[in-house]
């Protein structure tokens, strides 16, 4: 039997507002901050305290929901999800259940086979939990993260390969960063994935028993865990077994899933409407205001770069992967009359290479967009050749000087003067009689060698096109 995987993803993304979801505590980077520096009676779950909704978190959530084309529920309901855990002092998590903030969106993903649309079932607001560290037979609790706004984005079970699951996860990651609601810094745990996986006979459309793999903290873990689980389930079914519904963890070192709890032990969260919070009402006007201010999203930008500037899909893809890079490219293009394709090639090629090597980013580099455009203009205009251009870029990156200054100071201006070049070519031919003889005897390939010699003689400053024309002319004399 041929198996087809069925995958649905639940993505948890922190909304990186200044303060927490229901209290005034600061949202701190909990990989850096001392434990329990951002805690108050509300997020510590003290009796008698009352939560207040963070409007900025709602705005961030709406940005995401709108970017995913969701329908907004103008009235949504907070609910209590009850369970006991040491990092959840209240004994319940405030979440949204029956009426989430938004439903029915979609994300278009890119795969080798082309674009595919994955439906988004719901987007809802909740709060993050604290963090436990297990040491010396005991556990330490850090509540810095407790109550940090968390967005849950749940897909329909529309993905049918590991590649699609990864593309979806990466697509969301990219959008969250474009919307400036999340740093995208996976190592800090600000985005976590849960994969729901089942398999079925290829070509059918039933939804079989699934497992849920919790807390996948990287694209790689998502990919490996999903891959592992698909193979395991296919094997179980192929050998006559049945898949049990269960919650699994992922062991990153052993690269295998392990059972956390079975269906019998499944939580009954006893959801009920949060009595301490009124229904969350978002005004239509506010929603429309947020919609109008959404930035151009990566897919639209990609298509525009290909259409408007004639970039290759490869270049456009590299540029839009990072909003700051896309903006860098476009501001370079707009700063001068230069070829957008050339600018794209320089950014994707040499500028990336130089920045990477120095451990910097394109956007933070000392080479500003206008300065890069000036260099591109000098190369495309024949003032310096490509090779010299690369050297100039390295110097621009190191010193922050402009291409014009460097060309001037180092006397790098390329010479197109025909008399000068003609003399160099004549000397080159005189010094290489044997090669000239071979050329005349029909071995036209030696022209390349002679070209190289002439360029060398001119110390790389001669305009190669003029050298070539002049060489061809003199060889045929
Ligand atoms: P819950 O986790 O609260 O039980 P659902 O059952 O509605 O919620 O689904 C959660 C996730 O599981 C969704 O992303 C959904 O797409 C996915 N899912 C549901 N059924 C299947 C299935 N048979 N195979 C794979 N994924 C599934
Ligand atoms: Mg679930
Ligand atoms: Zn607090």
């Amino acid at each position: 039997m041929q198996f087809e995987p069925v995958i649905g993803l639940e993505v948890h993304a922190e909304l990186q507002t200044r303060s927490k979801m229901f209290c005034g505590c600061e949202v701190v980077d909990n990989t850096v901050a001392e434990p329990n520096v951002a805690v108050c009676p509300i997020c510590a779950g003290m009796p008698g305290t009352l939560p207040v909704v963070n409007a900025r978190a709602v705005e961030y959530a709406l940005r995401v929901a709108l970017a995913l084309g969701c329908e907004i529920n103008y009235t949504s309901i907070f609910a209590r999800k009850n369970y006991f855990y040491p990092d959840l002092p209240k004994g319940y998590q405030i979440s949204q259940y029956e009426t989430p903030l938004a439903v029915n969106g979609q994300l278009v993903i890119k795969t080798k086979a082309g674009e595919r649309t994955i439906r988004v079932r719901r987007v809802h607001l909740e709060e993050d939990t604290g963090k436990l560290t297990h040491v010396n037979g005991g556990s330490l609790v850090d509540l810095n993260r407790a109550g940090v706004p968390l967005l849950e984005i749940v897909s329909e079970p529309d993905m049918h390969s590991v590649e699609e699951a990864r593309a979806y996860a990466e697509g969301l990651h990219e959008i969250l960063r474009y919307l400036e609601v999340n740093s995208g810094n996976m190592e800090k745990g600000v985005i976590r994935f849960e994969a729901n996986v089942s398999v079925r006979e290829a070509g059918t459309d039933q939804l079989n028993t699934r497992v849920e793999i919790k807390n996948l903290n990287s694209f790689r873990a998502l990919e490996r865990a999903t891959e592992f689980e698909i193979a395991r389930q296919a094997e179980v079914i192929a050998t006559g077994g049945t898949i049990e519904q269960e919650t699994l963890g992922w062991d990153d070192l052993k690269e295998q899933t392990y059972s956390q709890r079975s269906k019998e032990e499944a939580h009954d969260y006893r959801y009920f409407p949060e009595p301490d919070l009124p229904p969350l009402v978002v005004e239509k006007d506010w929603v429309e205001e947020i919609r109008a201010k959404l930035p151009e999203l990566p897919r639209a930008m990609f298509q525009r770069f290909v259409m408007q500037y004639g970039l290759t899909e490869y270049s456009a893809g590299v540029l839009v992967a990072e909003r700051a890079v896309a903006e860098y490219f476009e501001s370079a293009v707009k700063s001068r009359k230069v070829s957008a394709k050339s600018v794209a090639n320089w950014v994707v090629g040499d500028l990336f290479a130089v920045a990477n090597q120095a451990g910097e980013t394109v956007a933070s580099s000392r080479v500003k967009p206008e300065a890069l455009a000036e260099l591109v203009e000098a190369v495309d205009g024949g003032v310096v050749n490509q090779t010299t251009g690369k050297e100039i870029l390295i110097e621009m990156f190191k010193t922050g000087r402009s291409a014009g200054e460097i060309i001037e100071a180092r006397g790098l201006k390329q010479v197109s003067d025909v008399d000068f070049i003609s003399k160099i070519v004549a000397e080159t031919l005189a010094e290489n009689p044997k090669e000239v003889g071979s050329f005349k005897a029909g071995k036209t390939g030696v022209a390349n060698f002679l070209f190289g010699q002439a360029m060398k003689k001119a110390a790389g400053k001669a305009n190669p096109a003029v050298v070539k024309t002049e060489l061809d002319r003199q060889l045929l004399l």
Side-chain angles (χ1 to χ4, degrees):
M1 185 162 76
Q2 186 72 20
F3 290 109
E4 173 184 62
V6 176
I7 306 164
L9 290 184
E10 295 167 76
V11 177
H12 284 100
E14 281 182 9
L15 297 173
Q16 294 179 303
T17 46
R18 285 234 297 281
S19 57
K20 291 187 181 180
M21 186 66 219
F22 301 113
C23 63
C25 288
E26 197 188 337
V27 171
V28 295
D29 177 347
N30 72 70
T31 60
V32 178
E34 287 289 308
N36 299 309
V37 290
V39 190
C40 73
I42 295 175
C43 56
M46 295 295 163
T49 58
L50 284 175
V52 177
V53 172
N54 177 345
R56 183 52 60 87
V58 179
E59 182 191 329
Y60 281 16
L62 285 169
R63 272 191 216 166
V64 178
L66 292 169
L68 295 173
C70 291
E71 294 159 25
I72 307 298
N73 284 326
Y74 294 104
T75 301
S76 59
I77 311 285
F78 284 107
R80 282 191 185 179
K81 181 180 183 180
N82 297 280
Y83 62 102
F84 176 77
Y85 216 63
D87 61 9
L88 187 76
K90 285 201 293 269
Y92 58 86
Q93 180 190 30
I94 303 179
S95 182
Q96 294 189 311
Y97 187 52
E98 276 172 357
T99 318
L101 182 69
V103 293
N104 297 338
Q106 69 280 320
L107 179 68
V108 178
I109 60 167
K110 238 193 286 180
T111 70
K112 284 197 207 84
E115 289 193 331
R116 283 210 57 226
T117 300
I118 307 300
R119 291 169 300 157
V120 171
R121 180 182 293 179
R122 56 188 276 145
V123 173
H124 74 242
L125 273 163
E126 56 187 37
E127 55 180 337
D128 212 342
T129 59
K131 248 187 148 167
L132 294 179
T133 309
H134 306 288
V135 281
N136 304 331
S139 293
L140 303 171
V141 186
D142 175 9
L143 295 179
N144 283 342
R145 205 180 64 179
V148 168
L150 199 62
L151 196 66
E152 178 164 342
I153 305 161
V154 182
S155 84
E156 293 293 342
D158 284 351
M159 288 156 273
H160 300 293
S161 66
V162 173
E163 185 203 3
E164 288 181 0
R166 182 174 179 130
Y168 174 86
E170 285 181 341
L172 273 187
H173 175 260
E174 204 170 73
I175 285 180
L176 291 166
R177 297 197 60 201
Y178 262 67
L179 298 172
E180 293 176 328
V181 301
N182 184 292
S183 68
N185 201 336
M186 305 283 298
E187 295 87 63
K188 293 191 187 287
V190 294
I191 302 179
R192 282 111 61 189
F193 307 117
E194 272 167 39
N196 294 270
V197 182
S198 64
V199 300
R200 67 185 176 200
E201 190 177 343
T204 63
D205 57 11
Q206 80 253 31
L207 291 175
N208 291 331
T209 304
R210 68 185 156 104
V211 302
E212 178 171 356
I213 316 167
K214 290 270 183 202
N215 268 319
L216 300 165
N217 292 326
S218 67
F219 295 117
R220 187 186 146 81
L222 169 67
E223 207 170 62
R224 301 305 292 262
T226 313
E227 205 164 62
F228 178 90
E229 201 40 41
I230 293 167
R232 186 190 70 84
Q233 291 186 20
E235 171 74 19
V236 168
I237 295 173
T239 54
T242 47
I243 302 300
E244 304 294 332
Q245 183 175 334
E246 56 186 341
T247 301
L248 305 175
W250 172 245
D251 187 325
D252 232 346
L253 294 175
K254 290 195 193 141
E255 298 217 317
Q256 59 192 40
T257 55
Y258 59 90
S259 186
Q260 282 185 331
R261 56 175 186 258
S262 65
K263 194 180 182 180
E264 288 73 43
E265 308 160 281
H267 285 300
D268 177 356
Y269 294 115
R270 297 189 182 272
Y271 280 98
F272 64 86
E274 165 64 66
D276 287 343
L277 286 169
L280 174 64
V281 177
V282 293
E283 300 291 340
K284 220 171 175 161
D285 287 354
W286 188 44
V287 173
E288 289 317 310
E289 203 180 295
I290 294 166
R291 191 198 303 276
K293 278 197 255 164
L294 287 181
E296 187 178 18
L297 294 171
R299 177 163 172 260
M301 213 177 222
F302 171 84
Q303 290 171 340
R304 189 167 63 76
F305 280 7
V306 172
M307 290 282 291
Q308 182 179 343
Y309 298 121
L311 302 189
T312 61
E313 294 201 347
Y314 172 76
S315 295
V318 174
L319 293 174
V320 307
E322 194 83 48
R323 182 173 164 189
V325 175
E327 285 170 355
Y328 180 102
F329 158 77
E330 206 156 28
S331 102
V333 169
K334 286 183 176 156
S335 71
R336 269 171 194 259
K337 258 192 136 24
V338 281
S339 145
K341 277 186 170 179
S342 297
V343 173
N345 288 339
W346 278 94
V347 174
V348 168
D350 292 286
L351 185 57
F352 253 112
V354 173
N356 275 346
Q357 210 175 19
E360 280 187 56
T361 67
V362 164
S364 71
S365 97
R366 289 168 88 166
V367 182
K368 297 294 162 231
E370 315 77 66
L372 183 77
E374 185 193 334
L375 172 67
V376 173
E377 189 179 64
V379 175
D380 285 1
V383 177
V384 294
N385 65 33
Q386 192 81 19
T387 315
T388 311
K390 290 182 185 189
E391 286 165 21
I392 295 171
L393 180 67
I394 292 169
E395 195 164 331
M396 287 166 68
F397 189 85
K398 279 194 201 137
T399 64
R401 293 168 80 196
S402 76
E405 281 166 16
I406 297 167
I407 292 169
E408 195 62 39
R410 290 182 35 193
L412 294 173
K413 205 171 242 165
Q414 173 170 276
V415 181
S416 300
D417 179 65
V418 180
D419 290 342
F420 166 77
I421 289 176
S422 170
K423 204 170 128 238
I424 294 220
V425 170
E427 283 171 22
T428 307
L429 297 188
E431 286 162 17
N432 296 283
K434 222 170 80 203
E435 282 73 16
V436 175
S438 317
F439 182 87
K440 302 229 154 146
K443 277 196 171 173
T444 49
V446 293
N448 287 335
F449 168 78
L450 292 167
F451 173 78
Q453 293 300 305
M455 287 301 288
K456 212 156 136 194
K457 209 171 176 60
K461 284 198 285 178
N463 181 330
V466 181
V467 172
K468 177 129 202 335
T469 312
E470 189 54 24
L471 183 67
D472 288 348
R473 192 183 67 79
Q474 293 193 24
L475 277 172
L476 295 174
L477 280 180

